[in-house]
Amino acid sequence: MVVSLKDIAARAGVSLSTVSNVVNGYRPVGEETRVRVQSAIDELGYAPNLSARHLRLGRTGIIALAIPELDNPYFAELAGAAIREATSQGYTLVMEDTAGSYEHELSMIDNSRRQIVDGLIFSPVAVSREDVLARPPATPMVLIGEGVYDVPHDHIAIDNIAASHVAVQHLVSLDRYRIAFIGAQAGDHRQSAHLRLRGYREALAGAGLPWDPALAAPTTAFGRADGLMAMRDLLARTQPPDAVFAYNDLVAIGAMRAVAEAGLRIPEDVAVIGIDDIEEGRFSNPTLTTISPDKEHIGRLAVQSLVARIEGKPVEPPYDVQPPFRLVTRESTLGGQRPVRT
Amino acid sequence: MVVSLKDIAARAGVSLSTVSNVVNGYRPVGEETRVRVQSAIDELGYAPNLSARHLRLGRTGIIALAIPELDNPYFAELAGAAIREATSQGYTLVMEDTAGSYEHELSMIDNSRRQIVDGLIFSPVAVSREDVLARPPATPMVLIGEGVYDVPHDHIAIDNIAASHVAVQHLVSLDRYRIAFIGAQAGDHRQSAHLRLRGYREALAGAGLPWDPALAAPTTAFGRADGLMAMRDLLARTQPPDAVFAYNDLVAIGAMRAVAEAGLRIPEDVAVIGIDDIEEGRFSNPTLTTISPDKEHIGRLAVQSLVARIEGKPVEPPYDVQPPFRLVTRESTLGGQRPVRT
DNA sequence: ATCGGGCTCTATAACGTTATACAGGCGACT
DNA sequence: AGTCGCCTGTATAACGTTATAGAGCCCGAT
């Protein structure tokens, strides 16, 4: 049977309000009665009814994490960290899979789901800056990833340009001259790949390498299949690349598969680097060199800043956080000369 | 501002109860007033307060999906299907990552979290049949995967023995004679690997092959790293296997990595087959032959049967469902003679 | 002595819903 | 004509919680 404040009150011989005060400490309670109430709680096994509490407080204790694809290991690993942090802060986290579709993403920032949720952590890919600006959310929102910039919300994303520099410079340091980029976006409203492409171009220029538009391969999405097809195209050129910087690890893995199917060697013929450091890249053949963002940090920070907004702690302006990242070198650029897993 | 039934009632000039009846159709409402109320709802943009509704109804509309690891792509893909089905049934699904730990799994079937959840879909790995029997849950529970059998709960899992037969028979059809199994479990209370191991042994016997305990490699968990280490051990034997049936695709991928590191060829020296059909195996080098369970089907069915229990539709006894599966052959057993992706 | 003010505790009004009980009106059947 | 029953609509009591207002009581200060 389900036990409520009333039952505890009856058992301990005190009023309902006193029990409530013991439970959540709003008003001090005399020592003697406190222990009597507490033991009644323990005996009967009381747990507060969250629906009632939320109705009373006007909050639900639920936050949503909306990501483009749950089956992308990067997001799965990120979600793990976010779930742990949310739980430890007393919130429940629900995940929404937008599938990267424009309509689905719009429905996230419309007010429809907001009735049930205290706040939203959102990783946009399809939605534009204007879409976000046009829909001031009813509850706090934190943006993660590289989708939308310059909007009045907290934003957590690695410095994509700097990360791209590091990636390209690594390839340059291996004496590669025809370095391709896979994951250039045709559509205007996806700023994510934009930044990585820009970092790629800047790094090329910094190394004194020419910018060849034919080496910037567009993709429609960022999965393994996209990397595979783009790489096939690149290899069919008269002057194929000798290195590839992929938008993310999934794309890189697709690209590596295309190289293998073409009968070429990695990294001798083509070196490959990605971004994300998903576990898959530590066991692939060859293992994948990558830029590793601190996913645990990102997930935790996203929840923490959202909760801070929800509970109205500091009324500071929206801030941009750039979590740390590092280069992890593996076989796909260094060959067998290196320890295999890191 | 937030709009409630009261606002709609005032706007439409009717009572609160009438608006409620328009919204959820408990009692019929005259046509004329219905349209007046409906247009008031549309104008003011009313959405029911779920906390209040749940408090009144005694249900929260939330179901939990507890899985051992969110970063296992198999569960990520399964969770996607479950989330979609739950949403379409008007429920919100929250995910719990038990990390496969015994304590965490116990806390799932204890009553602690049940205050907030109408029901639980649970994929146990560490918990035993007796643990489950000793804790009759306060809310409905559906089990998925191969953890625990013969308990009074709905259970959805592929026929592991039949699946193992198919896998081993496929290897036998390729004239392999020393077929190893990776993922045998030392612990007694993990029945999952037990069944697959049993299917493996039965299939060997059916093919007239001897049972060699040295070829059944135990692992502590079921990740890529476990497959890698087990395979290293197997390859170090004086008589290494010429084929491997792995507990799941992740283990298989780790095993393939070990084979590559040893400088051996797949499938010429060692053929590899897994279970799960995760996307990773369609792009690995080589691509991975696997047993493909219908994940979409499993996820949807789990939610459907849980919701049926929650809403008390049919009071039938707990039932066991065995969703379909199929063999998907790829390079890791057939080599390059086959279409690459399916 | 009397009053002000901590200190404990209590009664109660919300929060927004849904289901029950009830009221009035109108047609149909005895 | 009277009664029964249906149809439409309303008033209201919960569901379990938290915050506000306030009721006693005892001690120190006026």
Side-chain angles (χ1 to χ4, degrees):
Chain A
M1 85 133 202
V2 58
V3 29
S4 75
L5 280 188
K6 193 160 58 177
D7 302 310
I8 304 296
R11 172 76 155 238
V14 296
S15 85
L16 219 152
S17 333
T18 302
V19 181
S20 172
N21 282 329
V22 169
V23 171
N24 60 6
Y26 175 69
R27 285 275 186 93
V29 170
E31 188 53 28
E32 189 195 353
T33 49
R34 136 161 291 126
V35 300
R36 201 165 71 244
V37 169
Q38 187 58 54
S39 62
I41 287 177
D42 295 339
E43 284 169 36
L44 297 183
Y46 166 77
N49 177 315
L50 295 190
S51 292
R53 172 175 286 175
H54 295 149
L55 170 60
R56 180 63 233 249
L57 296 178
R59 298 203 273 104
T60 63
I62 298 176
I63 60 182
L65 171 64
I67 57 182
E69 26 174 8
L70 186 49
D71 26 350
N72 182 333
Y74 172 76
F75 288 111
E77 295 177 23
L78 184 71
I83 287 180
R84 283 189 292 277
E85 180 67 22
T87 311
S88 91
Q89 299 253 0
Y91 283 78
T92 301
L93 188 141
V94 318
M95 311 219 340
E96 306 270 354
D97 192 337
T98 64
S101 96
Y102 185 65
E103 293 71 26
H104 207 132
E105 288 201 358
L106 276 189
S107 83
M108 283 293 104
I109 57 178
D110 265 338
N111 43 9
S112 45
R113 293 282 290 164
R114 287 306 175 76
Q115 192 67 227
I116 201 187
V117 158
D118 287 342
L120 174 64
I121 300 171
F122 183 29
S123 173
V125 300
V127 113
S128 78
R129 176 166 174 272
E130 286 67 35
D131 291 324
V132 173
L133 286 175
R135 293 171 185 72
T139 55
M141 172 162 79
V142 169
L143 298 172
I144 58 174
E146 321 76 13
V148 171
Y149 290 87
D150 288 326
V151 289
H153 302 287
D154 295 342
H155 185 198
I156 301 171
I158 63 169
D159 183 339
N160 278 285
I161 294 187
S164 304
H165 287 178
V166 171
V168 172
Q169 277 159 10
H170 175 61
L171 295 175
V172 168
S173 78
L174 300 172
D175 294 329
R176 306 291 166 148
Y177 299 111
R178 294 191 51 78
I179 302 175
F181 176 74
I182 302 184
Q185 285 294 322
D188 25 328
H189 57 243
R190 299 205 185 187
Q191 310 200 358
S192 40
H194 225 73
L195 290 174
R196 294 184 184 178
L197 178 59
R198 196 173 122 202
Y200 158 77
R201 292 188 58 172
E202 290 178 6
L204 286 185
L209 291 175
W211 151 248
D212 179 357
L215 288 179
T219 60
T220 52
F222 301 114
R224 299 176 187 88
D226 304 287
L228 176 84
M229 302 212 287
M231 192 68 203
R232 275 186 188 155
D233 284 354
L234 285 171
L235 292 176
R237 302 280 164 77
T238 48
Q239 282 202 314
D242 58 11
V244 168
F245 168 39
Y247 171 80
N248 67 15
D249 279 3
L250 286 184
V251 169
I253 281 164
M256 291 206 301
R257 175 66 199 169
V259 174
E261 287 181 8
L264 298 173
R265 293 162 305 158
I266 303 174
E268 292 81 358
D269 299 314
V270 184
V272 177
I273 186 172
I275 295 190
D276 276 355
D277 191 20
I278 62 179
E279 204 198 39
E280 184 171 348
R282 293 205 274 279
F283 291 85
S284 57
N285 288 314
T287 54
L288 177 64
T289 294
T290 191
I291 300 289
S292 177
D294 191 337
K295 285 172 287 240
E296 183 75 21
H297 190 249
I298 296 174
R300 282 219 314 272
L301 197 58
V303 170
Q304 284 167 358
S305 49
L306 183 65
V307 168
R309 295 281 166 199
I310 291 173
E311 300 180 350
K313 296 251 178 71
V315 205
E316 289 164 18
Y319 56 105
D320 244 276
V321 181
Q322 299 191 325
F325 64 86
R326 61 196 181 89
L327 172 69
V328 178
T329 55
R330 300 202 189 97
E331 294 169 353
S332 71
T333 57
L334 296 186
Q337 57 182 289
R338 263 266 157 160
V340 183
R341 253 163 304 287
T342 31
Chain B
M1 85 135 203
V2 58
V3 29
S4 75
L5 280 188
K6 193 160 59 177
D7 303 309
I8 304 295
R11 172 75 155 234
V14 295
S15 86
L16 219 151
S17 333
T18 302
V19 181
S20 172
N21 282 329
V22 169
V23 171
N24 61 6
Y26 175 68
R27 286 273 189 93
V29 171
E31 188 53 28
E32 190 196 352
T33 50
R34 138 162 288 129
V35 299
R36 202 164 71 242
V37 169
Q38 188 58 53
S39 60
I41 288 177
D42 295 340
E43 284 169 35
L44 298 183
Y46 166 78
N49 178 314
L50 295 191
S51 292
R53 171 174 288 176
H54 296 150
L55 170 60
R56 179 63 231 249
L57 297 178
R59 298 202 274 105
T60 65
I62 297 176
I63 60 183
L65 171 64
I67 57 181
E69 27 173 7
L70 186 50
D71 28 347
N72 183 332
Y74 172 76
F75 288 112
E77 296 176 22
L78 184 71
I83 287 180
R84 283 189 290 280
E85 181 67 22
T87 310
S88 91
Q89 299 252 359
Y91 283 79
T92 300
L93 187 141
V94 318
M95 311 218 339
E96 307 268 355
D97 192 338
T98 63
S101 97
Y102 185 64
E103 292 73 24
H104 206 132
E105 288 200 358
L106 276 189
S107 83
M108 283 292 102
I109 58 178
D110 264 337
N111 43 10
S112 45
R113 292 283 291 162
R114 288 308 175 74
Q115 191 67 227
I116 200 188
V117 158
D118 287 341
L120 173 65
I121 301 171
F122 184 28
S123 173
V125 300
V127 112
S128 78
R129 176 167 175 272
E130 285 67 34
D131 292 324
V132 173
L133 285 176
R135 292 169 185 75
T139 53
M141 172 161 79
V142 170
L143 298 172
I144 57 174
E146 321 76 13
V148 171
Y149 291 87
D150 288 327
V151 288
H153 302 286
D154 295 344
H155 185 198
I156 302 170
I158 63 168
D159 182 340
N160 278 285
I161 294 187
S164 303
H165 285 178
V166 170
V168 172
Q169 278 159 10
H170 174 60
L171 296 174
V172 167
S173 78
L174 300 171
D175 294 329
R176 307 290 165 148
Y177 300 110
R178 293 190 52 78
I179 301 174
F181 176 74
I182 301 184
Q185 285 293 322
D188 25 327
H189 57 242
R190 301 205 184 187
Q191 308 201 359
S192 39
H194 224 76
L195 289 174
R196 293 185 185 176
L197 178 61
R198 193 173 125 203
Y200 158 79
R201 292 188 59 171
E202 289 178 6
L204 285 185
L209 292 175
W211 152 246
D212 180 356
L215 288 180
T219 60
T220 52
F222 302 113
R224 297 175 187 89
D226 304 288
L228 177 84
M229 303 212 287
M231 193 68 204
R232 274 186 189 154
D233 285 353
L234 285 171
L235 291 177
R237 303 280 164 76
T238 48
Q239 282 202 314
D242 58 10
V244 168
F245 167 39
Y247 171 79
N248 67 15
D249 280 2
L250 286 184
V251 169
I253 281 166
M256 290 205 302
R257 174 67 198 167
V259 174
E261 286 180 9
L264 298 173
R265 292 162 306 160
I266 302 173
E268 290 80 359
D269 298 314
V270 184
V272 177
I273 187 171
I275 296 189
D276 275 356
D277 191 19
I278 62 180
E279 205 200 37
E280 184 172 348
R282 293 204 275 277
F283 290 84
S284 58
N285 288 314
T287 53
L288 177 65
T289 294
T290 191
I291 300 289
S292 177
D294 191 337
K295 284 172 287 235
E296 183 76 22
H297 189 249
I298 295 174
R300 282 218 315 271
L301 197 59
V303 171
Q304 285 167 359
S305 50
L306 183 63
V307 167
R309 294 283 167 199
I310 291 174
E311 301 181 349
K313 296 250 179 71
V315 206
E316 292 164 15
Y319 55 105
D320 244 277
V321 181
Q322 299 190 326
F325 64 85
R326 63 197 180 89
L327 172 69
V328 178
T329 55
R330 301 203 189 97
E331 293 169 354
S332 71
T333 57
L334 295 187
Q337 58 181 289
R338 262 267 156 160
V340 184
R341 253 162 305 285
T342 31

